């Protein structure tokens, strides 16, 4: 994922977003954490994290609670070293209740292509299992033929 470096254009920003989506869908905290600078700063909902160790720990806990996690990201905007993303993901809890999370992220990258800042605003909505949109196997990335994020609903 760090092979894609600023300054961004439409093609590289789009590729960066898809690479991030694929990494997060791996649900591997170690792999995902390597996309962030060693001193990366995060705001995730009401949590503030700094550095790869905290990011790795946060992600490990997230994917222990958010079962059968599937994520779709979409490029919203970009500039030289920043990208704005909207996303949706689905998961269920240990009791079997499904959720769809809607959110936006603001990303800032260093010259090596590592994310040095991430700010995420996220809302979870309980959904019935029959309203799920993301059904690909959890062992890999979103299939290329999957449409991505539908209109907000």
């Amino acid at each position: 994922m760090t092979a894609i470096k600023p300054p961004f254009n439409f093609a590289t920003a789009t590729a960066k977003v898809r690479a991030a989506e694929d990494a997060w869908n791996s649900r591997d905290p170690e792999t995902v954490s390597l996309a962030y600078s060693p001193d990366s700063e995060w705001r995730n909902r009401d949590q503030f994290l700094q550095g790869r160790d905290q990011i790795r720990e946060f992600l490990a806990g997230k994917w222990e609670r958010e079962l059968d996690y599937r994520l779709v990201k979409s490029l919203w905007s970009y500039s030289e070293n920043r990208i704005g993303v909207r996303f949706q993901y689905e998961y269920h809890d240990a009791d079997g209740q499904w959720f769809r999370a809607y959110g936006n992220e603001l990303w800032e990258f260093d010259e090596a292509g590592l994310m040095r800042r991430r700010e995420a605003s996220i809302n979870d909505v309980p959904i019935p299992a029959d309203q799920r949109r993301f059904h690909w196997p959890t062992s890999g990335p979103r299939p290329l033929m999957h449409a991505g994020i539908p209109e907000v609903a």
Side-chain angles (χ1 to χ4, degrees):
M1 189 155 44
T2 58
I4 306 168
K5 301 174 185 175
F8 297 117
N9 59 40
F10 179 76
T12 58
T14 300
K16 193 74 159 176
V17 171
R18 182 60 194 239
E21 175 188 312
D22 290 348
W24 278 65
N25 276 326
S26 77
R27 296 180 325 276
D28 179 349
E30 179 63 33
T31 298
V32 174
S33 72
L34 295 176
Y36 301 93
S37 66
D39 60 348
S40 185
E41 295 180 15
W42 276 30
R43 181 188 57 78
N44 193 87
R45 301 175 195 244
D46 62 347
Q47 294 183 317
F48 294 84
L49 309 172
Q50 185 157 5
R52 283 187 183 152
D53 290 341
Q54 287 185 4
I55 292 168
R56 194 172 21 257
E57 182 179 324
F58 168 83
L59 292 171
K62 171 184 181 63
W63 291 319
E64 286 176 11
R65 293 182 308 277
E66 296 179 1
L67 307 173
D68 291 322
Y69 175 97
R70 292 170 181 87
L71 165 73
V72 177
K73 292 183 181 280
S74 177
L75 176 66
W76 187 260
S77 65
Y78 67 93
S79 66
E80 183 173 313
N81 71 331
R82 293 181 175 157
I83 295 177
V85 174
R86 68 183 186 121
F87 63 87
Q88 293 179 18
Y89 64 86
E90 294 176 347
Y91 67 94
H92 66 85
D93 63 17
D95 294 327
Q97 172 61 58
W98 281 92
F99 296 86
R100 182 173 306 116
Y102 296 89
N104 302 294
E105 292 176 308
L106 303 175
W107 300 344
E108 183 177 80
F109 296 89
D110 66 16
E111 59 282 343
L114 296 171
M115 194 181 300
R116 67 178 164 210
R117 185 169 188 86
R118 174 184 176 263
E119 297 196 20
S121 297
I122 308 165
N123 299 296
D124 297 299
V125 178
I127 59 171
D130 65 355
Q131 288 186 12
R132 292 177 49 222
R133 297 177 177 154
F134 310 140
H135 297 278
W136 63 86
T138 58
S139 59
R142 173 174 52 100
L144 293 176
M145 299 302 292
H146 190 281
I149 297 177
E151 294 302 315
V152 174

